[in-house]
Amino acid sequence: MAGFLSDLVQYRRLWLMIVVLGIGGTHLSGFQMSVINYTSLYIQKFINETWLERYGSVLPQETLMLLWSLIVSVYCMGGMIGCLCSGYLAAKFGKKKCLLLNDMVLITATLLTGFSRRAKAFEMILAGRFLEGIGAGIHMNAHVQYAGEISPKKLRGFINVTSTVFLALGKTVARILGLRDLLGTEDMWNVLLSFSGLVALIQLLFLPFFPESPPYLLLQKEDKAGCLKAMKQLWGEGNYHTEFDDLMKEKAITKGTKIMNVLEVLRERSVYPQLCTMLLLLLSLQLCGMSAITFYTSEIFRTANLQESIIPYVSLGVSISELISIIFCSSIIDRFGRRTLLCGGYLLMALILVLLETSLLLSDQFLWLRYCSVVLIFLFIIAYGIGPAGVVVSVMNEIFTLSTRASAFVIGGIIIWLGLTFTGMIFPFAVMLLGPFCFLIFIAVLIISAVVIYLFLPETKGKSTSEITEKFKTCQFFKRKHHQAVEMHAAEEKTFCTKL
């Protein structure tokens, strides 16, 4: 307890910066992804009324659904564009300036969506959601990298997970404000959509008082004095020479190497093990079963005879459970390590899905199993929060060097946005074809992911970036692939020389 209070005092400016980063970072992504569900009926009615007033005829239902689908999907399109831009912006201007520029984009988007009702132009909602998607693509990458780079080694796991904590917090805030007792009404839906602009304004006002990340200052700007000053500002008067020495080692290893773009990273064979690991983690996160749980939640609550008026509050309880479990993950990740929480989380989620599958199939014969299904949903969300939800981002932040991290996150971000789009399009058809048996796919994915992670992912707890890179090189599977690639490259060179 004394150590916790000591860290609280010593790193007080760091904690403030984490809050400022979080509320204008992944918190906004979680809010924007969730809030659209609570305004859907009101926005569709607004589109109908606007169309009727303009053209004097009722909008066909097919056209209305097309416009609504466009409003939902344009956010993902913007997210992919923002993600592609984030690597260049972070390398060119640094994470701090990148986020400040992004706040201006988000405030513009909020003005468009907020005043759309007064202007009687649903096109403004479309443009606003597109800009919000671009902002989400930028700040999801910049926030995660920024948070990881400003953290001391002993708090790195905890601070890396805060980006996921704020993502879950954004979802929870959207569910709270979206209740009909608050802003989830026909008169206030445009105010609800405008909330993200207020948060972006807070970050725009306060982030300039905090420094750029120490690794960026030292490795890219070669500003040793600025790096030490930033460490002192964020970490107090404590001993941070270990972190500085690690940065100097990384600088020596990557001497003369500038931040690589996406194509350069894809061509760099020494980064393939880390890219393969990131791909595995992101695909397992996309296919772990959260989409199925989200799809079935309301139906399971109704079959358990919960009143319709209570279901939104129970769903809010699900979001709060996710938030609390991720906060708990952040407090234990530096004690138990990343690999343990990932493998344990995936296996526990697989077990819960087996029980949930059994419960859904037998609920008509045994009515009490319907209530068990409700409990299992809460347990699945808790296992998800303690395991992959909190740990994946931390591992991604730790396995790449500064020269490759920004572009690697662009690649990862594209996978995430494509996964969201693909899951949203394909999953409803999978449910129609398979019904509750769709959980079997996710059970298989979870078990395979746990085994592969246990075999090939090195533990990153308490290790510097250079040490983690060396760990990947010593991994037998990747070592064999690396040797094959080197031999192939040498053979190509030899053939070329002979011809010459």
Side-chain angles (χ1 to χ4, degrees):
M1 186 66 181
F4 170 75
L5 293 175
S6 175
D7 288 343
L8 201 62
V9 174
Q10 180 182 347
Y11 298 108
R12 58 189 179 278
R13 283 184 62 86
L14 177 62
W15 305 132
L16 289 173
M17 186 171 180
I18 290 300
V19 172
V20 173
L21 279 179
I23 60 173
T26 52
H27 168 266
L28 283 180
S29 301
F31 180 85
Q32 291 161 355
M33 289 176 188
S34 299
V35 76
I36 199 69
N37 298 322
Y38 301 96
T39 57
S40 59
L41 294 176
Y42 308 128
I43 292 176
Q44 290 179 50
K45 185 178 179 182
F46 169 67
I47 294 172
N48 249 330
E49 292 173 350
T50 304
W51 191 276
L52 182 62
E53 188 174 333
R54 284 184 192 174
Y55 305 108
S57 61
V58 178
L59 186 67
Q61 186 64 27
E62 295 81 7
T63 309
L64 176 62
M65 292 310 298
L66 178 63
L67 286 171
W68 171 245
S69 300
L70 193 57
I71 288 173
V72 174
S73 60
V74 78
Y75 181 80
C76 291
M77 296 176 195
M80 292 181 66
I81 293 172
C83 183
L84 285 170
C85 297
S86 65
Y88 170 78
L89 292 173
K92 179 74 174 176
F93 303 107
K95 279 76 174 180
K96 179 180 174 180
K97 290 180 181 177
C98 180
L99 285 172
L100 292 174
L101 290 171
N102 192 53
D103 289 331
M104 297 179 188
V105 174
L106 290 169
I107 291 170
T108 304
T110 298
L111 292 174
L112 287 171
T113 53
F115 286 102
S116 59
R117 188 176 176 188
R118 182 176 291 274
K120 297 182 179 180
F122 60 82
E123 296 88 352
M124 292 173 68
I125 300 176
L126 197 63
R129 286 290 291 178
F130 180 67
L131 289 178
E132 284 180 351
I134 291 175
I138 293 172
H139 66 230
M140 283 184 76
N141 282 356
H143 170 205
V144 172
Q145 295 174 64
Y146 203 174
E149 290 173 11
I150 62 174
S151 58
K153 188 185 290 187
K154 70 174 184 176
L155 298 174
R156 192 175 61 199
F158 172 79
I159 291 176
N160 280 333
V161 178
T162 58
S163 60
T164 316
V165 170
F166 280 102
L167 183 70
L169 179 63
K171 295 178 187 177
T172 306
V173 170
R175 293 204 178 200
I176 293 172
L177 295 180
L179 293 173
R180 293 182 179 178
D181 301 329
L182 296 173
L183 300 179
T185 63
E186 189 173 353
D187 296 329
M188 300 295 289
W189 63 265
N190 58 322
V191 179
L192 178 61
L193 289 177
S194 303
F195 175 78
S196 56
L198 174 63
V199 178
L201 179 61
I202 293 172
Q203 187 181 75
L204 183 63
L205 293 175
F206 289 99
L207 188 58
F209 295 101
F210 296 95
E212 181 58 83
S213 74
Y216 180 81
L217 292 171
L218 180 65
L219 302 180
Q220 292 302 314
K221 295 298 183 181
E222 298 186 352
D223 184 2
K224 184 176 179 180
C227 172
L228 289 169
K229 182 181 177 182
M231 286 181 170
K232 185 176 180 180
Q233 278 183 289
L234 293 171
W235 304 345
E237 297 293 342
N239 184 8
Y240 40 79
H241 293 295
T242 304
E243 284 82 0
F244 185 75
D245 290 341
D246 288 338
L247 286 178
M248 291 300 291
K249 289 177 185 176
E250 185 176 343
K251 184 180 180 182
I253 293 171
T254 60
K255 189 176 182 180
T257 304
K258 295 295 182 181
I259 293 179
M260 299 182 186
N261 61 37
V262 173
L263 291 177
E264 289 171 337
V265 169
L266 290 174
R267 291 194 204 104
E268 182 59 48
R269 296 186 179 186
S270 63
V271 191
Y272 284 2
Q274 289 91 321
L275 289 176
C276 291
T277 301
M278 181 182 70
L279 181 64
L280 168 67
L281 292 174
L282 291 178
L283 289 178
S284 62
L285 195 65
Q286 293 279 336
L287 300 173
C288 69
M290 271 298 291
S291 53
I293 291 293
T294 304
F295 189 90
Y296 272 102
T297 295
S298 297
E299 181 182 334
I300 290 171
F301 289 164
R302 289 189 183 96
T303 56
N305 295 324
L306 294 177
Q307 295 180 9
E308 199 69 32
S309 58
I310 297 176
I311 289 178
Y313 295 94
V314 180
S315 299
L316 176 60
V318 172
S319 290
I320 293 173
S321 299
E322 181 182 355
L323 176 61
I324 293 173
S325 60
I326 295 174
I327 292 173
F328 180 69
C329 172
S330 68
S331 66
I332 64 173
I333 187 171
D334 285 316
R335 177 174 296 182
F336 291 97
R338 285 63 163 159
R339 196 165 66 161
T340 302
L341 291 180
L342 273 175
C343 294
Y346 279 140
L347 291 175
L348 183 58
M349 289 164 66
L351 175 61
I352 293 170
L353 284 186
V354 169
L355 296 175
L356 184 60
E357 176 80 30
T358 306
S359 175
L360 291 174
L361 292 175
L362 300 177
S363 60
D364 291 334
Q365 301 177 33
F366 305 98
L367 296 180
W368 56 272
L369 283 176
R370 297 177 180 179
Y371 302 100
C372 292
S373 299
V374 175
V375 175
L376 288 170
I377 283 178
F378 277 90
L379 291 177
F380 182 87
I381 295 295
I382 291 170
Y384 171 77
I386 295 175
V391 181
V392 166
V393 172
S394 181
V395 173
M396 283 177 56
N397 222 355
E398 293 168 337
I399 61 178
F400 293 101
T401 62
L402 185 68
S403 60
T404 59
R405 189 177 294 131
S407 295
F409 268 77
V410 170
I411 298 168
I414 293 297
I415 294 170
I416 291 172
W417 289 107
L418 284 175
L420 287 172
T421 307
F422 179 79
T423 305
M425 292 173 59
I426 301 299
F427 181 71
F429 296 101
V431 172
M432 288 173 58
L433 290 172
L434 301 174
F437 289 102
C438 67
F439 287 113
L440 296 176
I441 300 172
F442 303 119
I443 291 167
V445 169
L446 289 168
I447 294 173
I448 293 170
S449 299
V451 173
V452 174
I453 287 168
Y454 178 78
L455 293 176
F456 300 119
L457 177 66
E459 181 55 67
T460 60
K461 181 183 74 170
K463 294 182 174 64
S464 65
T465 306
S466 55
E467 291 172 336
I468 294 168
T469 305
E470 287 300 318
K471 279 278 186 182
F472 272 105
K473 290 179 181 178
T474 57
C475 179
Q476 288 302 313
F477 175 78
F478 293 127
K479 190 175 181 181
R480 185 163 59 250
K481 291 288 185 184
H482 178 69
H483 282 324
Q484 289 173 358
V486 170
E487 288 172 5
M488 188 183 300
H489 185 62
E492 288 173 0
E493 284 186 346
K494 185 176 179 181
T495 305
F496 177 75
C497 290
T498 305
K499 287 180 180 178
L500 183 62

